[in-house]
Amino acid sequence: MKAIVKPTPRLGGTINALSSKNYTTRYLLIAALADGTSTVYFPAHSEDSDAMRRCIRDLGAVLEEDNEKMIIRGFGRHPKHVSELNVGNAGAVLRFLMSVAAFCPEVTFINAYPDSLGKRPHDDLIDALKQMGVEVEHREGKLPITIRGGHPHGGKITVSGNVSSQFLSSLLFVAPLLDEDSEITVLHDLKSKIIVGQTLEVIAQAGVKIEASDDLMHYKIPGKQQYTPQNYTVQGDYPGSAAILAAAAVTHSDVTVLHLAEQSKQGERAVVDVLRAMGVDLTHENDTVRIRGNQKLTAGEFDGDHFTDAVLAMVAAAVFAEGTSRFYNVENLRYKECDRITDFVNELRKAGADVEERQSEIIVHGRPQGVTGGVEINAHYDHRVIMALTVVGLRSEQGLIINDAHHVAKSYPHYFEHLLSLGAQIELVQE
Ligand SMILES: O=C(O)C1=C[C@@H](OP(=O)(O)O)[C@@H](O)[C@H](O)C1
Ligand SMILES: C=C(OP(=O)(O)O)C(=O)O
């Protein structure tokens, strides 16, 4: 699908935030790891959440669903012995399930997206799984990956955290089910640290005990625990909503997004503060964010690691700010669906933005007068690139054509529909 994004000076209306991708993957997983029946209310429906749903079903979970909920009978620490799993393009699903696969004799994760997930590194998790007695066959740390497990053991485990927090989260989900107690130490830095808080939150909701140090670098995990079946309610998704809020911020707008919890452990909740710091007229009350945009933004400096999945949307807003903005501490954006620094900066430049890259920074020299546009954008298989470039297109002189825009469905299948309902001029062409 192509998205033809036309200049749109005004947006207005109210939308419901989509359900959180990262809570959905976690709740589906701990429901599958429970012995008994859990219910997940308002799960996200996207390619990534579908990937988790499909894989836990393949591994033996029994699912029933209607419009508002999924009822899941879990398999505990005894998944079905499947030989192959397909996680689509979902990094978190792959990494979380690599540890679950350690309970199976032999599972191969296939390489369904060689140009996206197929390029991402998983070495740090592979090293940790080996310490647990699991044999892993891989191609230089990348897919396809075969896990030969059966009887993983606990004990002292180290894992590097400087590429992705998903490796640590993966171990935290599985370690409580092992016979032995475990002690996990995170080596180097821990990137996307905030999201580990979501992992610990959902694990605790299922009655499982983990003792975490204040800096989230050390964990003591008693073995032989069980996830208690529970009812879970998925909150609204900040990373996806960040793109809608960015669109509102760069136009003349009156846009309201409902169901964005004020007390949330999603790091991307910070976009509310980021946009405020950029001078956007914004309120956040009763879990509702309302923006009255007047196209005026001011530049700022931000530690992007605090809101990793919303950096691209905030950069898109900064493209139109007065002054130079800096998004630092974002090197691990290079290891996502594409290289979200080099690839993204190249697409922004094509659109007419004045942006620079450093190894771990994106620098934006704002153009309040707008950008030229009038070019075709390569999506690089990346939903967040698609969402962010759409924001830029709305405020361009000649619009933008975003190729392969269907990849937006990785996390936010209704993104264009939501923007259209706010009055965005976007034409979707099926190819
Ligand atoms: O744990 C998770 O669900 C996620 C962790 C983050 O990845 P990294 O830890 O690799 O930054 C984030 O970007 C991703 O969308 C989801
Ligand atoms: C990086 C992302 O997801 P994942 O790592 O799960 O593929 C994302 O949703 O932006």
Side-chain angles (χ1 to χ4, degrees), residues 316-361:
V319 161
F320 305 103
E322 184 78 51
T324 294
S325 299
R326 200 165 70 93
F327 295 84
Y328 57 92
N329 195 15
V330 295
E331 181 170 359
N332 92 331
L333 293 183
R334 294 190 182 278
Y335 316 118
K336 309 266 180 174
E337 284 79 331
C338 68
D339 179 334
R340 285 184 181 164
I341 299 185
T342 299
D343 294 335
F344 181 51
V345 160
N346 285 342
E347 297 308 318
L348 284 172
R349 282 203 180 122
K350 277 179 13 195
D354 188 358
V355 277
E356 291 179 61
E357 64 166 289
R358 301 277 184 273
Q359 183 55 25
S360 59
E361 288 182 18

Side-chain angles (χ1 to χ4, degrees), residues 233-412:
T233 301
V234 177
Q235 54 181 265
D237 187 273
Y238 274 98
S241 300
I244 300 282
L245 297 176
V250 305
T251 51
H252 290 286
S253 66
D254 188 351
V255 168
T256 300
V257 183
L258 308 173
H259 307 305
L260 289 175
E262 282 152 83
Q263 304 300 323
S264 171
K265 289 200 188 299
Q266 296 178 62
E268 291 80 6
R269 189 209 159 282
V271 298
V272 168
D273 304 319
V274 171
L275 290 172
R276 248 194 215 123
M278 291 170 93
V280 176
D281 180 358
L282 176 152
T283 56
H284 193 187
E285 288 160 4
N286 305 320
D287 297 345
T288 298
V289 178
R290 181 173 182 188
I291 288 190
R292 275 166 278 206
N294 63 2
Q295 293 202 323
K296 288 198 177 59
L297 296 126
T298 47
E301 303 221 346
F302 306 101
D303 182 341
D305 194 52
H306 293 160
F307 50 96
T308 183
D309 284 346
V311 170
L312 274 57
M314 295 300 103
V315 168
V319 161
F320 305 103
E322 184 78 51
T324 294
S325 299
R326 200 165 70 93
F327 295 84
Y328 57 92
N329 195 15
V330 295
E331 181 170 359
N332 92 331
L333 293 183
R334 294 190 182 278
Y335 316 118
K336 309 266 180 174
E337 284 79 331
C338 68
D339 179 334
R340 285 184 181 164
I341 299 185
T342 299
D343 294 335
F344 181 51
V345 160
N346 285 342
E347 297 308 318
L348 284 172
R349 282 203 180 122
K350 277 179 13 195
D354 188 358
V355 277
E356 291 179 61
E357 64 166 289
R358 301 277 184 273
Q359 183 55 25
S360 59
E361 288 182 18
I362 300 176
I363 295 164
V364 189
H365 306 290
R367 294 203 156 144
Q369 71 279 20
V371 299
T372 315
V375 295
E376 297 199 12
I377 296 297
N378 177 342
H380 297 275
Y381 298 89
D382 193 336
H383 51 144
R384 309 238 181 257
V385 169
I386 295 166
M387 290 189 254
L389 264 302
T390 299
V391 172
V392 174
L394 294 173
R395 174 97 179 252
S396 64
E397 279 164 37
Q398 298 169 27
L400 287 174
I401 295 178
I402 304 186
N403 291 319
D404 296 324
H406 53 276
H407 291 302
V408 78
K410 184 177 190 286
S411 66
Y412 198 167

Side-chain angles (χ1 to χ4, degrees), residues 21-23 25-26 48 91-93 95-96 120 161 163-167 169-170 173 190-193 195-196 198-199 239 268 305 308-309 332-333 335-337 340 383-384 410:
K21 170 180 91 111
N22 298 337
Y23 274 103
T25 49
R26 284 166 168 71
D48 280 15
V93 177
R95 277 111 173 227
F96 296 171
R120 296 170 70 179
V163 167
S164 171
S165 68
Q166 293 171 357
F167 306 139
S169 285
S170 176
F173 282 121
L190 177 56
K191 295 299 180 193
S192 303
K193 190 181 260 194
I195 204 168
V196 175
Q198 289 177 46
T199 301
E268 291 80 6
D305 194 52
T308 183
D309 284 346
N332 92 331
L333 293 183
Y335 316 118
K336 309 266 180 174
E337 284 79 331
R340 285 184 181 164
H383 51 144
R384 309 238 181 257
K410 184 177 190 286

Side-chain angles (χ1 to χ4, degrees), residues 89-294:
N89 199 20
V93 177
L94 169 66
R95 277 111 173 227
F96 296 171
L97 291 181
M98 278 169 66
S99 296
V100 176
F103 291 119
C104 298
E106 182 172 315
V107 183
T108 298
F109 290 89
I110 64 164
N111 192 3
Y113 280 81
D115 293 322
S116 188
L117 186 55
K119 290 182 169 170
R120 296 170 70 179
H122 314 289
D123 314 73
D124 299 331
L125 180 56
I126 291 169
D127 287 348
L129 288 171
K130 286 183 178 162
Q131 296 165 45
M132 296 159 67
V134 179
E135 198 187 310
V136 187
E137 194 181 310
H138 55 94
R139 267 216 308 249
E140 291 173 5
K142 304 201 171 94
L143 288 172
I145 291 173
T146 298
I147 308 273
R148 293 194 189 89
H151 303 285
H153 60 74
K156 284 196 190 314
I157 303 165
T158 56
V159 63
S160 174
N162 63 359
V163 167
S164 171
S165 68
Q166 293 171 357
F167 306 139
L168 170 64
S169 285
S170 176
L171 300 170
L172 291 172
F173 282 121
V174 163
L177 299 176
L178 303 175
D179 285 338
E180 305 76 19
D181 298 347
S182 298
E183 235 182 281
I184 299 179
T185 302
V186 182
L187 303 178
H188 316 123
D189 201 359
L190 177 56
K191 295 299 180 193
S192 303
K193 190 181 260 194
I194 291 179
I195 204 168
V196 175
Q198 289 177 46
T199 301
L200 295 172
E201 180 189 12
V202 305
I203 288 174
Q205 278 178 277
V208 166
K209 303 259 175 297
I210 291 185
E211 198 185 308
S213 64
D214 289 342
D215 63 1
L216 298 182
M217 299 299 272
H218 301 277
Y219 300 85
K220 288 197 176 136
I221 308 164
K224 290 200 178 72
Q225 300 191 65
Q226 287 183 347
Y227 284 93
T228 311
Q230 299 281 7
N231 293 341
Y232 305 107
T233 301
V234 177
Q235 54 181 265
D237 187 273
Y238 274 98
S241 300
I244 300 282
L245 297 176
V250 305
T251 51
H252 290 286
S253 66
D254 188 351
V255 168
T256 300
V257 183
L258 308 173
H259 307 305
L260 289 175
E262 282 152 83
Q263 304 300 323
S264 171
K265 289 200 188 299
Q266 296 178 62
E268 291 80 6
R269 189 209 159 282
V271 298
V272 168
D273 304 319
V274 171
L275 290 172
R276 248 194 215 123
M278 291 170 93
V280 176
D281 180 358
L282 176 152
T283 56
H284 193 187
E285 288 160 4
N286 305 320
D287 297 345
T288 298
V289 178
R290 181 173 182 188
I291 288 190
R292 275 166 278 206
N294 63 2

Side-chain angles (χ1 to χ4, degrees), residues 403-425:
N403 291 319
D404 296 324
H406 53 276
H407 291 302
V408 78
K410 184 177 190 286
S411 66
Y412 198 167
H414 299 300
Y415 179 63
F416 292 113
E417 204 180 289
H418 280 177
L419 282 176
L420 286 165
S421 78
L422 297 175
Q425 302 292 309

